[in-house]
Amino acid sequence: MNNIDTARVAETILSAPGWARVGITAPTSHIRVEAAFELARAIVESACAGAEPQNPDQLGLSL
């Protein structure tokens, strides 16, 4: 991962589970930590997966 594409990172964050996106602002620290790890996992998974961020709602089309 030599170049970080901010648009791809943003898309990955937006496709992460909703609880993690909301949980990052939770009043309790243990929920914030779990949410941060979930967002980090989604970003790393996307970076290792290939050129396109994977979204379970998106159908895969071969070109």
Side-chain angles (χ1 to χ4, degrees):
M1 189 161 98
N2 294 335
N3 291 331
I4 298 174
D5 182 11
T6 55
R8 183 169 173 199
V9 172
E11 289 173 15
T12 302
I13 290 171
L14 291 174
S15 67
W19 74 265
R21 292 179 297 175
V22 173
I24 202 78
T25 62
T28 56
S29 65
H30 71 278
I31 295 175
R32 287 193 307 268
V33 169
E34 288 182 30
F37 273 99
E38 180 63 25
L39 289 175
R41 185 201 57 75
I43 292 169
V44 169
E45 206 173 78
S46 174
C48 294
E52 294 290 327
Q54 295 190 0
N55 185 338
D57 297 331
Q58 181 67 38
L59 295 174
L61 300 174
S62 59
L63 297 176

